[in-house]
Amino acid sequence: RRSRSIAGWDVGRIKRLGADGVKLLAWYRPDADEAVLAHQHDYVRGVGQDCAAHDIPFILELLVYPFLGSTGHHADYAEDPAKQARLVVESVRRFAAPEYGVDLFKLECPVPAAALADGATTAAFAALAEATAGRPWVMLSAGAPPDRFARVLELAYAAGAAGFLAGRAIWWQAMQDWPDAALCRARLRDEAVPYLAALSALTGRLARPVALPAPDRSRITREGDFVAAVPALGR
């Protein structure tokens, strides 16, 4: 799979519209064809360079996918029930290289959410954290059931994750009653909102805050010195 930008959209336009960051989805498997890997590397690198040029944070979402013809293949994204932790970890490690300019990783669970187990799963999350090379990372839900995604977050936070960026785990069940908009709205209010509040409370208790290094104030002696030190804090 070769990722591409939506026609008419680029980092400059996103910045002009007032966004606080640019999130890019990149399909990736380290065992894919070399030409596909080269395309993904160049594409992500280019977006990272544009984010740096426009001084806006770069959020990279990586998704491992089943090859065409294999069990679990889907045109969009459905979590692979045979997902291998090493493919997820190696993908993150590749894009943690400075040349890609990633400020924040949005990552999938390194093992299938339906197959969480304490021993191997804890080791997989530890490997995922190591692969980020110290960059902040948050978890995506991949449409996991609410109770299962909460468990994913507990494991991720124990390994050092900073939070979550999730969609389907929060609103998917409520939307099963579409096109009954009133019922969907009621379920969002009665089920999704309390669940989101519970995830936020869990995050407040267990997630690792993102701490930016303070500038070296010992070298601030004249006008302009503080500004010169700010780039070390990141975008």
Side-chain angles (χ1 to χ4, degrees):
R1 297 187 183 185
R2 292 174 169 84
S3 297
R4 62 186 184 278
S5 298
I6 299 171
W9 285 89
D10 56 33
V11 172
R13 184 181 183 190
I14 292 170
K15 177 70 177 285
R16 290 191 299 274
L17 288 170
D20 295 310
V22 173
K23 197 273 287 185
L24 175 70
L25 165 61
W27 302 102
Y28 196 79
R29 283 188 63 132
D31 56 348
D33 182 83
E34 287 297 327
V36 173
L37 295 180
H39 172 90
Q40 296 300 80
H41 298 160
D42 291 344
Y43 178 61
V44 174
R45 186 185 301 108
V47 174
Q49 291 171 345
D50 287 346
C51 286
H54 287 87
D55 195 26
I56 189 169
F58 179 28
I59 303 155
L60 179 61
E61 176 181 5
L62 290 171
L63 291 177
V64 173
Y65 59 95
F67 286 136
L68 183 66
S70 64
T71 302
H73 179 266
H74 194 278
D76 296 312
Y77 179 74
E79 188 177 47
D80 184 357
K83 179 168 55 178
Q84 300 176 50
R86 67 174 182 84
L87 296 180
V88 177
V89 171
E90 290 173 15
S91 299
V92 175
R93 183 174 289 113
R94 171 71 197 215
F95 289 102
E99 67 184 282
Y100 298 103
V102 176
D103 294 299
L104 175 70
F105 280 109
K106 178 183 178 182
L107 303 178
E108 63 180 314
C109 184
V111 299
L116 295 177
D118 291 335
T121 301
T122 300
F125 272 101
L128 188 68
E130 182 274 331
T132 65
R135 285 173 172 73
W137 54 290
V138 298
M139 297 303 298
L140 59 88
S141 70
D147 59 335
R148 189 64 59 174
F149 183 52
R151 179 56 180 155
V152 168
L153 290 184
E154 290 175 347
L155 292 162
Y157 294 155
F164 65 92
L165 280 175
R168 286 178 292 163
I170 297 167
W171 53 257
W172 179 256
Q173 291 302 317
M175 302 315 296
Q176 299 313 298
D177 292 306
W178 187 260
D180 187 334
L183 184 54
C184 289
R185 188 178 298 110
R187 292 191 65 184
L188 286 170
R189 181 191 63 239
D190 299 337
E191 300 172 19
V193 171
Y195 178 62
L196 179 58
L199 292 182
S200 297
L202 176 70
T203 301
R205 293 195 310 270
L206 302 179
R208 180 176 299 177
V210 177
L212 296 175
D216 183 358
R217 291 181 172 81
S218 66
R219 298 185 181 183
I220 299 176
T221 60
R222 61 181 181 179
E223 183 179 4
D225 285 351
F226 180 80
V227 175
V230 168
L233 301 180
R235 291 190 293 278

